[in-house]
Amino acid sequence: MNKLSQGSLRLCCIRTLCLKVNQMQQPLCQIHAVAKLTATHFDTFASNRLLNDLGKSGRVDEARHLFDKMSDKDEFTWNTMISAYARSDLLIEAKQLLSETPHPSSVAWSSLISGYSHQGCGTEAFRLFWLMQLEGLRPNQYTLGSALRACSISALLQRGQQIHAHAIKTQFDLNLFVVTGLVDMYAKCKQISEAEYLFHMILDNNNLVLWNTMITGYSQNGYGLQAMECFRDMKSEGIGMNQFTFPSILTACAANSAFRFGMQVHCSIIRSGFEFNAFVESSLVDMYAKCWDVNSAERVLEYMKVDDVVSWNSLIMGCVRKGCNEEALSLFKKMHQRQMKIDHFTYPSVLNALASIFYLETAGSVHCLTIKTGFGNYKLVGNALVDMYAKCGSLYCASRVFLSMGDRDVVSWTSLISGHARHGFYEEALKLYYEMRGTEIEPDLFVIASVFSACAELTCLEFGKQVHGNLVRSGLGSSLSVGNSLVTMYAKCGCLDDANLVFGMMHLKDVVSWTALIVGFAQNGRGKDSLQLYNQMILSGSKPDYVTFVGLLFACSHAGLVDEGFLYFESMEMVHGIKRGREHYACMIDLLGRSGKIDKAVELLNQMPFQPDATVWKALLAACRSHGKLEVAVWAAESLFELEPKNAVAYVQLANMYSASGRWVDAGRIRSLMKSRGVKKEPGCSWMEVNGRVHVFMIEDRNHPRKADIYLKLEEMMILIKEAGYVPDMNFALHDMDEDGKELGLSYHSEKLAVAFGLLSIPPGAPIRIYKNLRVCGDCHNAMKFISEVFQRRVILRDANCFHHFSEGKCSCKDYW
């Protein structure tokens, strides 16, 4: 406003006052006094107006300069300057100015409280709220709203309830502004029923902000269906919507995969004229992407006038979830070409896509890009890098990234531990878990599932039991993945009662759960229990899969159930529509071979719709070895020589069959062939866990600290079982020497040394658990039956093929060698 206009307005005011004074017949001195007072008030009014404009536009320094120049400051002046500071997040300056205010009003306090709330300083905002009342000022509805906002941001439920009580006492509990703040506070504090009650308490409400708050509260607390119902009611009430309404309801649609409802909301957006609002468009992209409609998400993205990184991130993430990894990488490439500002939410999705398709070379380039753009040190990106390298099998790179991270969380550890377990580095996985337990980070269910899987493969029963105990004590509960891993661990460690108990306690079971126990029963010699469990599975409504039938046919094979095996084999395609694979044929050939039907096994092999792989030939070779079919064994072994020329199994088994037949020259020829091809036989070893330590034994092992006691016990053991009727089986003495030498060699097998140590170290009543990397020989298997009878001990031996539970002179398996 220029000086001329100010003067004209001032003169007009004076003239008006003069007319009024004349009408009232006041003295002339009073007219001059009134005119002077009016001019002063006008200067203050104009300055306050300018001060307010400067504060709202963020020009705080200019506002302060004007404030300092003003000679006459009224309450509005002080309030406006404090509000300008608070709005610009200059809270220290605002608090200082409040302390200098001659008579602070509730408006000034409300502005300061609002500023601290906006900054997320809920505790300080709440302290100021009570301090204001100690100063004798009564909060108004705006003060209560600001205090409630502080409670919402910091989730201060108890303090929010105190403000609610204060609102009731001061009769602000029906004020629309305060009720909206209360609804928001209760929703943010996850007390949705209280928020819902207050929302419905306002009758005939047509306030858009309150409806938006309720829809947002439902959406943020996972009540997607209620959010959609509220949105529908809002429309039926004829309440207009704005750009804040649609993102919340679209989030609810995305969380509930409510694709059709989301499309209806999209129509409402177009009718309401918000289709080009960037915030709404971004929410639409996210909704379509999470509802698996990547094409619609991409179309919305194409029509956006501004490249929004959040929308691109949502689409990339949607592509990754749907398995469209190539498309996700293509979108990332477009972002890079458009020179968009890629953020730390972009990289994790891209790295997940790379992990799924094992693009290590491209992954290295993306890794370099994260470092160049300054996001390499972000924990979210670091975790994604560790996970990507671990899934791709590059455990060295995963470990390097992990060690370079300054701030590691449970996700970092889980990615590295799971990666090692997934790629067969089970011991390293358990070492990492032990190292993690030394930190302050508590394991989650994902890492525990990986640890159980590692324990299952290493048969670390005691370690697995400790982790299980820690899980129970932690109160974390369980998950489907953990339950499945736990069942598998106990089954693979030969503890079927524990596996069955865990299975029975699982509230939710899937095909993996049923299959884990079916396979567990089969591997532990309880084939009929496997078949009964399968029948229960079918009655429960669960559908078997490829692996389920591998377990079933394995059970039939080891239980000698030929007819049942053929029924399941035929039902795979005819009843369940599951295509038979090489593993199923291998089980059937093993079933026929164990039953002595080698000719039928060869016939089935020739009928296979694909070329036999190593698994099938190994099954036939093992069956030939069991029944002495040397001619067919030579055929199977030579086929394996071509498929796996570096695998020692076929060479060793054929050489052993030649040796058992007394054809030492042929046996020597096969061993020479092994040597010329550089094939090395894996040495047989047995191990057992006693008092937290693993003890390993090799054939004729004399490295154990208690070797003297072990060999004395072994000698005693062999004498006693011979007296009970044990006769050494010289067919398994595979060296050309005299009878005494062969017998002595048999007695020094690793599993016999292990069981002797078990008799010395494991207290009576506890089972002796032995694990062997190769298949147990027939002589040792026979000896174990006599040992269990003579010493009245349960011996559980897991070899490369299955479990053998020896008790009272019997074994759980069928005796085929």
Side-chain angles (χ1 to χ4, degrees), residues 743-789:
E743 183 177 338
L744 197 60
L746 287 173
S747 64
Y748 291 158
H749 280 192
S750 63
E751 49 267 60
K752 291 191 179 81
L753 292 170
V755 77
F757 176 70
L759 291 170
L760 288 170
S761 307
I762 297 175
I768 299 172
R769 300 179 184 275
I770 302 169
Y771 306 97
K772 185 177 172 66
N773 64 331
L774 304 177
R775 193 174 182 185
V776 62
C777 80
D779 179 73
C780 288
H781 187 274
N782 189 36
M784 293 295 171
K785 292 194 290 185
F786 281 98
I787 290 167
S788 68
E789 183 179 18

Side-chain angles (χ1 to χ4, degrees), residues 9 18 117 161 260 337 465 593 634 704 711 743:
L9 181 60
C18 287
S117 300
Q161 289 171 331
R260 293 187 179 278
Q337 289 170 346
K465 282 183 174 180
V634 171
H704 197 278
Y711 275 89
E743 183 177 338

Side-chain angles (χ1 to χ4, degrees), residues 228-292:
M228 288 183 274
E229 186 179 345
C230 190
F231 178 82
R232 191 182 290 114
D233 293 342
M234 183 181 180
K235 284 194 69 178
S236 64
E237 292 288 334
I239 297 168
M241 302 169 191
N242 62 10
Q243 68 269 30
F244 302 107
T245 311
F246 296 112
S248 296
I249 189 62
L250 287 170
T251 300
C253 293
N256 287 268
S257 298
F259 175 66
R260 293 187 179 278
F261 196 94
M263 290 181 68
Q264 294 173 14
V265 174
H266 192 175
C267 294
S268 296
I269 290 169
I270 295 171
R271 285 196 296 268
S272 304
F274 289 102
E275 68 268 29
F276 296 115
N277 180 279
F279 192 35
V280 174
E281 285 178 316
S282 178
S283 300
L284 272 171
V285 172
D286 183 66
M287 184 275 294
Y288 279 123
K290 287 180 178 175
C291 289
W292 302 87

